[in-house]
Amino acid sequence: DPNFIFFLAVAHDRVKDQKKSDAVLEQLIQSHPEYPNSYNYLGYSYAEREIEKEKAEKYLVKANDLEPD
């Protein structure tokens, strides 16, 4: 279930384990490429931390493409 995996990643992020959160979200993107929340969350996370800037932009565009509202 992508929702469960997504909330697991969010839990890791909330306890400041961004490395684990990033890894879970990257795996979720691979296993469920049509799930927009993973792209959105990881894109904003990368952007806020000012890392992986190209990936951040790509993920945010993809999230918007999958769920424009």
Side-chain angles (χ1 to χ4, degrees), residues 3-21:
N3 288 316
F4 176 79
I5 298 167
F6 176 74
F7 287 118
L8 175 63
V10 171
H12 284 296
D13 186 50
R14 295 250 167 96
V15 297
K16 307 293 184 216
D17 190 354
Q18 277 82 24
K19 230 178 190 181
K20 184 67 174 174
S21 178

Side-chain angles (χ1 to χ4, degrees), residues 1 3 6-8 15 33 42 45 47 53-54 58 63 65-66:
D1 177 25
N3 288 316
F6 176 74
F7 287 118
L8 175 63
V15 297
L42 190 53
S45 178
K53 293 177 184 181
E54 288 180 20
K58 177 180 145 188
D65 289 347
L66 290 171

Side-chain angles (χ1 to χ4, degrees), residues 30-48:
Q30 294 300 312
S31 64
H32 293 86
E34 300 304 315
Y35 186 73
N37 294 353
S38 52
Y39 293 99
N40 190 60
Y41 197 95
L42 190 53
Y44 274 109
S45 178
Y46 283 160
E48 287 175 357

